[in-house]
Amino acid sequence: MAFGAFNHHRQKEAMADINVTPMVDVMLVLLVIFILSAPMFTNAVSLDLPKAKAAAVQQGAANVTVAIDAGGTVYWNEQALKGDELAQRLAAAARRDPQPELQLRADRATRYEAVAQLMAAAQAQGLTKLVFVTDPKEAK
């Protein structure tokens, strides 16, 4: 190091060490500032919103429940379907005005392929409202 050298015979050369202590100090100060200021950015604005009562929205169309069990059997409103009945019922539902909402319930063990085929059949018939129905998480 080239501090006040006691050896006068030594050749003076440029200091090759970098002192990182000031940089570390600045970084630690910035870290503390960010830690202290972060909670201020996440608080929501508290508003006293006005209160109003509105009439309930009328349901436009009946809902149709389509369920698929683990074996691949398709149920239309809890009635088991056979063969081409699904395509016929989907076509009839698509002709209704307004179109019903198709609520799809699939067993956890149902193959993805069966669900995808049912969705494709509904789309092919012109049904546009498809909803996936799940059970809420069980309380632990």
Side-chain angles (χ1 to χ4, degrees), residues 40-117:
M40 293 178 205
F41 297 126
T42 59
N43 289 342
V45 177
S46 65
L47 298 175
D48 188 18
L49 297 175
K51 309 235 185 310
K53 289 189 178 187
V57 177
Q58 297 293 329
Q59 293 291 337
N63 295 332
V64 175
T65 303
V66 178
I68 305 175
D69 66 5
T73 306
V74 179
Y75 297 87
W76 184 276
N77 287 337
E78 300 180 14
Q79 258 184 345
L81 299 180
K82 299 174 188 150
D84 292 335
E85 284 184 80
L86 177 64
Q88 295 169 358
R89 293 203 186 191
L90 288 172
R95 286 191 297 268
R96 285 196 233 164
D97 188 36
Q99 280 189 355
E101 184 178 85
L102 196 64
Q103 295 180 347
L104 178 58
R105 297 172 186 257
D107 188 83
R108 181 180 306 196
T110 303
R111 291 180 46 106
Y112 178 74
E113 179 182 15
V115 175
Q117 287 175 351

Side-chain angles (χ1 to χ4, degrees), residues 105-106 108 132-140:
R105 297 172 186 257
R108 181 180 306 196
F132 289 97
V133 179
T134 60
D135 287 333
K137 285 186 173 182
E138 297 175 3
K140 291 183 179 179

